[in-house]
Amino acid sequence: MALLLHVLSALFGLGSWVAINGLWVELPLLVPETPEGWYLPSYLTILIQLANVGPLLVTLLHRFRPGWLPETRVVYAIVCLGVVSCLLVALFWKETGMVGGERHSTALLALAFFLSLVDCTSSVTFLPFMSRLQARYLTSYYTGEGLSGLVPALVALAQGVGVVTCHQDNVTVIGNTNLVAHYQPANFSPRVFFFLLAGMMLMCLMAFGLLNHLPLARLEERDPERERERTEQEPMISRRPSCWYKARPSTFQAGHYTWPQATFIFLVLAWVNGLTNAVLPSVQSYSCLPYGSLAYHLSATLGAMANPLACFLAMFLPSRSLRLMLLLTVTGTTIGAYIMGMAVLSPCPWLVHTHTGTALMVLSWTLFTGSLSYVKVMIGVILREEGHSALLLCGAVVQLGSMLGALTMFPLVSVYSLFRSGDPCNSLCLP
């Protein structure tokens, strides 16, 4: 019966970020159909960070009114909001309106904010709820959180990307032939895709209800006294590098890590989430579309698939090594620097119009997401052992890092226009 709780934990984790992950993997089909065009990822990034008002409010209430917030009711409320928002996106994502004298995808952007509110708030509500159960179920939760990227990515692969064909414009200038891009429809529409997302959120809601009410789940709740006795018997030398061994312990519940180590862990957590949730997604269209719509589609979907694969790897090869954490963070950051460099060079990045350039960009996005996703799981497992307050702080730092990344990138992309878009049919790049 423990297998049932592992499955329910995974389904619960599935709903944590499935809405926003689904929106990201659908961008290759949404970008050509919206007034924002290549700017759409940047708008979505800033909306996601504005939704941090949700986790901020939850964190402040936990800090100044401990025990006042009904955690279970909050989870029920945000998951229900996610189901309704996904249904509304499916019905109204094409609706536009005038804002500031320009036409915008008002319905899509407004509903994207509510979806972001759901997913951002899940960072400070889902994880603390999982701390009620024994530690082994947290890995299943993280696997489900990874599946929130994998499942929409697989659906997007089945959906296919709209093939671009170039046709001569009716109005041409003498000596200059202007081609216009025409996007052929995918295997099924974004409306069907968003209905499927609503179904996944509904599964998350049902799983949460069962985790709350099944007698088996209550039997699997953790016993703090037993865990304390077990951890006191375990040697902690392997978790402390010798240079930090004599430092003062932190005030976390278990006290396994010193303040310098805890600071390092949270700085890495903020940095990694800033890169993966805000900085690089803001320029994904600029880094990928010069190589073609297929490159954009594969980068979005395979990158999303790398997340759960990293979680599966962490399940069978868990690690708490801070040195490995640093190595993977540096590796992921280096790959991210290459992606950012290609976005800066858009619409004429290195190896444009070559299969090598396309493959290298898709591989870069996959390795970037996979390496830093493993770092996130490492930190989650470490902080799970430090108790409820550490997981709550974990969620807050995740959103803080994402917010700082978005506030940095939005003016660069949407205000100062430092990144240039290209045309799939009229290339300005020299062969």
Side-chain angles (χ1 to χ4, degrees):
M1 292 300 289
L3 177 61
L4 175 60
L5 290 186
H6 282 290
V7 172
L8 292 177
S9 298
L11 290 176
F12 180 49
L14 175 68
S16 59
W17 284 95
V18 71
I20 291 302
N21 285 335
L23 198 56
W24 279 113
V25 298
E26 194 69 359
L27 281 181
L29 294 179
L30 298 181
V31 165
E33 300 290 334
T34 56
E36 292 78 12
W38 286 36
Y39 288 112
L40 184 59
S42 180
Y43 279 101
L44 290 179
T45 300
I46 199 65
L47 283 173
I48 292 170
Q49 305 318 315
L50 290 175
N52 279 310
V53 63
L56 176 62
L57 179 61
V58 172
T59 303
L60 291 176
L61 287 174
H62 274 290
R63 174 66 179 85
F64 296 106
R65 298 289 298 273
W68 181 83
L69 191 68
E71 197 171 71
T72 301
R73 294 181 183 178
V74 172
V75 175
Y76 273 122
I78 63 174
V79 177
C80 289
L81 178 61
V83 174
V84 173
S85 298
C86 285
L87 291 173
L88 293 177
V89 170
L91 296 173
F92 302 110
W93 72 271
K94 279 191 174 182
E95 299 298 321
T96 61
M98 299 299 294
V99 179
E102 295 182 355
R103 185 161 294 279
H104 287 283
S105 305
T106 48
L108 176 63
L109 294 176
L111 291 169
F113 171 79
F114 288 107
L115 292 176
S116 304
L117 186 64
V118 171
D119 290 0
C120 291
T121 309
S122 74
S123 296
V124 293
T125 53
F126 286 20
L127 276 175
F129 172 80
M130 288 302 300
S131 68
R132 300 180 184 182
L133 300 177
Q134 296 183 27
R136 62 178 178 269
Y137 295 109
L138 184 66
T139 305
S140 298
Y141 169 84
Y142 270 112
T143 300
E145 187 176 278
L147 289 174
S148 70
L150 174 63
V151 176
L154 291 176
V155 175
L157 283 175
Q159 183 182 23
V161 64
V163 178
V164 181
T165 57
C166 300
H167 301 281
Q168 186 172 345
D169 193 358
N170 293 330
V171 180
T172 58
V173 179
I174 297 176
N176 183 22
T177 302
N178 188 36
L179 299 177
V180 178
H182 292 270
Y183 293 85
Q184 298 179 8
N187 295 329
F188 53 88
S189 68
R191 170 173 291 190
V192 175
F193 181 86
F194 288 123
F195 276 134
L196 293 174
L197 286 187
M200 296 176 205
M201 289 299 300
L202 188 59
M203 291 171 59
C204 170
L205 179 62
M206 295 171 62
F208 179 67
L210 291 174
L211 286 174
N212 264 295
H213 298 292
L214 277 180
L216 177 63
R218 298 188 181 278
L219 292 175
E220 291 294 319
E221 290 183 355
R222 68 188 185 95
D223 185 347
E225 291 298 327
R226 184 183 301 174
E227 288 187 3
R228 187 178 297 111
E229 292 176 1
R230 177 176 54 82
T231 54
E232 286 175 354
Q233 297 172 0
E234 292 177 353
M236 292 299 165
I237 296 296
S238 60
R239 301 188 195 175
R240 297 175 181 242
S242 58
C243 60
W244 285 342
Y245 181 71
K246 295 183 179 180
R248 183 168 59 91
S250 70
T251 56
F252 285 148
Q253 180 175 316
H256 295 160
Y257 296 90
T258 63
W259 273 115
Q261 290 172 308
T263 301
F264 168 76
I265 290 170
F266 281 115
L267 285 176
V268 169
L269 182 65
W271 174 259
V272 166
N273 281 278
L275 290 181
T276 57
N277 298 344
V279 175
L280 271 300
S282 297
V283 298
Q284 186 171 25
S285 57
Y286 296 94
S287 66
C288 297
L289 275 177
Y291 296 99
S293 297
L294 181 61
Y296 189 13
H297 184 67
L298 291 177
S299 296
T301 52
L302 295 181
M305 292 171 67
N307 187 311
L309 292 178
C311 294
F312 280 120
L313 181 63
M315 179 182 294
F316 297 105
L317 296 174
S319 175
R320 297 177 178 83
S321 169
L322 300 187
R323 291 187 177 89
L324 177 61
M325 184 187 301
L326 177 61
L327 176 62
L328 290 176
T329 302
V330 171
T331 301
T333 301
T334 302
I335 298 172
Y338 169 77
I339 295 172
M340 179 63 70
M342 298 305 99
V344 171
L345 295 175
S346 176
C348 300
W350 296 341
L351 302 175
V352 68
H353 305 315
T354 67
H355 294 299
T356 302
T358 301
L360 189 57
M361 180 53 62
V362 173
L363 181 63
S364 296
W365 270 102
T366 305
L367 294 178
F368 166 77
T369 306
S371 59
L372 297 189
S373 294
Y374 188 85
V375 172
K376 293 180 189 179
V377 178
M378 289 177 66
I379 295 176
V381 172
I382 288 172
L383 297 181
R384 165 62 181 80
E385 296 177 350
E386 301 298 327
H388 182 280
S389 61
L391 285 177
L392 182 65
L393 184 56
C394 171
V397 172
V398 165
Q399 299 310 125
L400 176 63
S402 303
M403 180 181 66
L404 293 176
L407 293 178
T408 301
M409 293 304 299
F410 184 76
L412 298 179
V413 175
S414 301
V415 178
Y416 299 108
S417 300
L418 296 184
F419 299 89
R420 296 172 54 201
S421 58
D423 189 323
C425 292
N426 299 285
S427 175
L428 301 177
C429 306
L430 295 176

